[in-house]
Structure formats: structure tokens, C-alpha cells
Amino acid sequence: MEKMNNKNKIFIDKLRSSGLRPTKQRVEISKFLFNRKKTFHFTVEELKNSMNLKRSKKISTATFYNTVHALKSAGHLKEFSLENNTSYYDTNITSHHHFFDNGKVIDIKSDKITFHKLPDAPKGKKIKNVEVVIRLENNNQ
Amino acid sequence: MEKMNNKNKIFIDKLRSSGLRPTKQRVEISKFLFNRKKTFHFTVEELKNSMNLKRSKKISTATFYNTVHALKSAGHLKEFSLENNTSYYDTNITSHHHFFDNGKVIDIKSDKITFHKLPDAPKGKKIKNVEVVIRLENNNQ
DNA sequence: AACTACTTTATAATAGTTCTAAACTAAGTG
DNA sequence: CACTTAGTTTAGAACTATTATAAAGTAGTT
């Protein structure tokens, strides 16, 4: 990348350290995803639409999918699913939990939920992680 | 239904009590789903393939989708999602939890997991349910 | 038996995602 | 700095799960 200003260096390093070539597109997508204070939940289509809206030269759909998959494989994004057959991604890769409120997702910090009892893993298996979904509904009156 | 033998009566009643006309197709699908000892996890495509394999007169794809949706709306099936953009259904409609082991799903009885600490619902919301997913991996010593 | 509302069906349509192969580009080499 | 090459981007086709359409069929009532 010819233009490597300081603003981008952190994202370039992040990509490079994951074995991903820091192309123009990947750097811009990384900046969009990770240059924010709060956790970001998104689908690939949402990401594409919001980024391309502001751009004259659009990034292709395939690149959004490729990049999100690469970032996920590198451990920079977490995938999760709702009941609508669409993949959601979460920039918060630490182990944590979620409220699901009619398609809206809210993070719950890991330490907000603790267990009194948990089952053992079946023979030959071990527990990779434990994630809780708390489904919400409106509190009518 | 002209042929209403005792074997089918229970499924016919189940459909009728949910406001669903007990058509030939619905009764057969219900029997296939609910006439078993253990909980059954499936996708609509899996259900279609395994039922139609044995049949000379196939049930159409649309009917499988319609019936599964109707049974879900009536509260006889529960839907859940894995990370592959496909809807899974569970004949165990009681509140319970799951092991996910590389696409394989195993039920965990509700009382096998208890909480020590749980967050409050956000203002104006209340908790509808709490479900835990325990992801497994192989125990390579 | 006749009527009607609900159901099934084949098929088309849609949404999200992955594949393909050609054009492009980052990064190393001399 | 050209040159090379392996990795990347791209448009578009293909694919998979699912939903919509509208015509034909059927359950349940009269």
C-alpha cells in the first residue's frame, strides 16, 4: 500500500499479523469495523450497503464476503445466528452473552452471568465455550 | 380423513386442537415427527428427504415448509439456528439447552444448568426465556 | 351431492451466499 | 525500478434455503 498514514497503520498491522495482505479494500473495511468505541453487530449485506453508500468506487459484494470470512478466521470477528437464516457478525470477540430483542442484539458482558451448575461435556469432548441468549419481550403495562 | 385408525387419532387430535385441518400430509408428517421416544432435531430439507424416500407419492416441498411453520406456530415445534443459515427445528418444546458439536445438536435438560447470576432485562422489557449453548470440541488429550 | 374455505402442488421468485475465471495489485527479486 | 508471481478483487453466474403464486384438489359442512 503506497499511502500508509498513521490512521491506517494499526489496521494494516492487524491484517498483516493475521497473514492477510493489507489491500485498500481490506484496510477500509477493517477501519470501518474496528475504528469505533462500541461493539458492532452486522450482516454482510448491511456492511456492504453502509460502506458503499459513501463511496464513489464501490467495493464488490464478493470482497465483503471474503474479507469478513478472513477476519472471522483470523479471530477478529465472531459469527452468530438469529432465526432468519442470515449470518451476523460481532466485533466483540471476547466470550460474552446476548439479549435478543426482536432481531435487535445487545451484548451482555461475560461477568454479568455466572453459573451455579453446568453439565459435563460428553465423553471424548470438551467445552469450547458457553454462550447464553436471553430473549426479551415487551413488558406490557 | 376417511381412514382414521387409532394409530393416527392422536395426531389428528393434535392438529385439530391447534386449528389445523388434519390432512393426509399433515397427519403423516406429524406422525413422523412426534411418534418417537427421543427428541428429534431436523431441517425442513432433511425431513422432506427422509420422508419422501419411503413414499411413492411424494409430499411437495411447499407442504413440508407450510406444515412445519404451522406446527411451530401452534407451539409443537421450536426453531433454532446454527451458523449455516438454515433453520433447525426441535420436537422438544420445553425450555432446555443445547450442546453444539460440529453441527450435531444434543439436548440438555433444563435442570442441568442453573444460574448464579443473571442480568436484569432492559427497561420496559422482560425476559421471555434464557437458553444456553455449550459448544464442544474434540478432546485431543 | 354440492358448496366453500382451506390445502396441496408445481413452479417461479427471492435472499443470502459461494463459485468462477479474468483482470488487477502487493510485495518480493534481481 | 522493471519483472514476476501469488494473492486479491471483480462482475456475474450458480447455488441453497426459503417464500410466493395461482391453479387443482380436498375436508368438512349443509
Side-chain angles (χ1 to χ4, degrees):
Chain A
M1 291 274 311
E2 65 298 355
K3 281 205 227 161
M4 195 213 272
N5 55 42
N6 270 328
K7 264 185 132 176
N8 288 347
K9 180 156 191 325
I10 182 172
F11 305 111
I12 290 172
D13 289 348
K14 185 169 196 157
L15 288 164
R16 230 190 273 279
S17 71
S18 310
L20 296 170
R21 234 182 234 183
T23 63
K24 219 165 38 239
Q25 294 87 338
R26 283 175 177 170
V27 172
E28 293 203 37
I29 292 171
S30 296
K31 194 155 67 170
F32 186 89
L33 290 178
F34 302 119
N35 192 27
R36 49 179 83 220
K37 297 282 182 310
K38 287 177 60 185
T39 298
F40 186 41
H41 300 114
F42 64 95
T43 67
V44 175
E45 290 294 319
E46 287 166 0
L47 173 66
K48 183 184 87 173
N49 292 337
S50 47
M51 283 196 67
N52 274 345
L53 204 65
K54 315 170 185 166
R55 299 171 56 85
S56 46
K57 177 85 173 65
K58 311 297 185 197
I59 296 175
S60 74
T61 303
T63 296
F64 282 107
Y65 277 96
N66 289 342
T67 302
V68 166
H69 288 164
L71 290 172
K72 187 202 162 191
S73 298
H76 301 307
L77 291 173
K78 252 171 93 165
E79 185 179 357
F80 64 95
S81 289
L82 302 184
E83 262 87 78
N84 61 354
N85 311 314
T86 309
S87 287
Y88 285 77
Y89 296 89
D90 190 335
T91 55
N92 181 357
I93 55 167
T94 66
S95 175
H96 65 284
H97 309 290
H98 290 114
F99 285 121
F100 283 0
D101 180 13
N102 299 304
K104 197 162 136 271
V105 180
I106 304 168
D107 278 4
I108 302 173
K109 284 220 190 78
S110 194
D111 62 5
K112 297 286 180 194
I113 298 181
T114 56
F115 297 91
H116 183 247
K117 201 164 86 178
L118 268 181
D120 292 327
K123 240 194 303 271
K125 303 286 174 180
K126 65 179 177 194
I127 291 176
K128 184 158 54 179
N129 67 52
V130 178
E131 289 189 349
V132 179
V133 169
I134 302 182
R135 269 164 223 282
L136 300 175
E137 61 191 350
N138 288 327
N139 193 354
N140 319 310
Q141 79 274 340
Chain B
M1 292 275 310
E2 65 298 353
K3 281 204 228 162
M4 195 213 273
N5 55 41
N6 270 328
K7 263 185 134 176
N8 288 347
K9 182 159 190 322
I10 183 172
F11 305 110
I12 290 171
D13 289 349
K14 185 169 197 157
L15 288 164
R16 231 190 272 280
S17 71
S18 310
L20 297 170
R21 233 181 235 184
T23 63
K24 219 165 37 236
Q25 294 87 339
R26 284 175 177 169
V27 172
E28 294 203 37
I29 293 171
S30 297
K31 193 155 67 171
F32 186 89
L33 290 177
F34 303 118
N35 192 26
R36 50 179 82 221
K37 296 281 183 308
K38 287 179 59 186
T39 299
F40 185 41
H41 299 115
F42 64 95
T43 68
V44 174
E45 290 295 318
E46 287 166 2
L47 174 66
K48 183 184 87 172
N49 292 336
S50 49
M51 283 195 68
N52 274 345
L53 204 66
K54 315 171 184 165
R55 299 172 55 85
S56 45
K57 178 83 175 64
K58 312 297 185 196
I59 296 175
S60 75
T61 303
T63 295
F64 281 106
Y65 277 96
N66 289 342
T67 301
V68 166
H69 288 165
L71 290 172
K72 187 202 163 192
S73 298
H76 301 306
L77 290 173
K78 251 170 94 165
E79 186 179 357
F80 64 94
S81 289
L82 302 184
E83 263 87 79
N84 62 354
N85 311 315
T86 309
S87 287
Y88 285 77
Y89 296 89
D90 189 335
T91 56
N92 180 358
I93 54 166
T94 67
S95 175
H96 65 283
H97 309 290
H98 290 113
F99 285 121
F100 282 180
D101 180 13
N102 300 304
K104 198 162 135 269
V105 180
I106 304 168
D107 279 3
I108 301 172
K109 285 221 189 80
S110 193
D111 62 6
K112 296 286 181 195
I113 298 182
T114 56
F115 296 92
H116 183 248
K117 200 163 88 176
L118 268 181
D120 292 327
K123 239 194 302 273
K125 303 286 175 180
K126 65 180 178 193
I127 291 176
K128 184 158 56 181
N129 67 55
V130 178
E131 289 190 350
V132 180
V133 169
I134 302 182
R135 269 164 222 282
L136 300 175
E137 61 191 351
N138 288 326
N139 194 354
N140 334 301
Q141 63 284 341

